[in-house]
């Protein structure tokens, strides 16, 4: 059964992929992966905090667990660094001009 579902999803993706322009598809998947990286940075830091490897410094901020947003300084700093890295990579072509 899972193989059938995978085959159907692959067939639909191939069919949709023929109609989409590659630039739009790559931009969308790249943006999705950047968001996922930011989320995983927050969840990774939180896991290290729960294991006792990193300290926990609470801040006044909302906690949205499924987005990897936790109200600690360490998770916010880690996510900000990842976001800054992506912004630098995205802005590099304009900085070179």
């Amino acid at each position: 059964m899972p193989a059938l579902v995978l085959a159907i999803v692959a067939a639909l993706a191939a069919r949709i992929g023929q109609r989409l322009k590659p630039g739009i598809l790559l931009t969308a998947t790249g943006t999705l992966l950047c968001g996922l990286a930011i989320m995983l940075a927050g969840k990774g830091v939180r896991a290290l905090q729960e294991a006792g490897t990193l300290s926990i410094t609470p801040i006044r901020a909302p906690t949205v667990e499924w987005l990897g947003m936790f109200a600690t300084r360490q998770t916010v700093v880690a996510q900000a660094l990842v976001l800054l890295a992506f912004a630098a990579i995205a802005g590099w072509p304009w900085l070179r001009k």
Side-chain angles (χ1 to χ4, degrees), residues 2-17:
L4 178 63
V5 172
L6 182 61
I8 292 171
V9 169
L12 287 173
R15 191 161 232 209
I16 291 171

Side-chain angles (χ1 to χ4, degrees), residues 6-37:
L6 182 61
I8 292 171
V9 169
L12 287 173
R15 191 161 232 209
I16 291 171
Q18 291 174 351
R19 290 188 228 156
L20 290 176
K21 296 180 180 177
I24 295 170
L25 185 62
L26 290 173
T27 300
T29 56
T31 303
L32 184 65
L33 287 173
C34 289
L36 184 62

Side-chain angles (χ1 to χ4, degrees), residues 9-96:
V9 169
L12 287 173
R15 191 161 232 209
I16 291 171
Q18 291 174 351
R19 290 188 228 156
L20 290 176
K21 296 180 180 177
I24 295 170
L25 185 62
L26 290 173
T27 300
T29 56
T31 303
L32 184 65
L33 287 173
C34 289
L36 184 62
I38 293 168
M39 180 190 74
L40 289 176
K43 288 188 173 200
V45 169
R46 181 62 176 189
L48 290 172
Q49 289 174 329
E50 289 176 356
T53 305
L54 288 178
S55 62
I56 299 175
T57 309
I59 60 171
R60 295 186 64 143
T63 296
V64 185
E65 289 188 27
W66 65 275
L67 284 177
M69 296 172 55
F70 299 96
T72 67
R73 184 180 342 156
Q74 291 82 1
T75 56
V76 171
V77 168
Q79 288 176 321
L81 288 174
V82 173
L83 184 62
L84 181 66
F86 287 138
I89 291 168
W92 182 255
W94 289 285
L95 293 174
R96 292 188 59 185

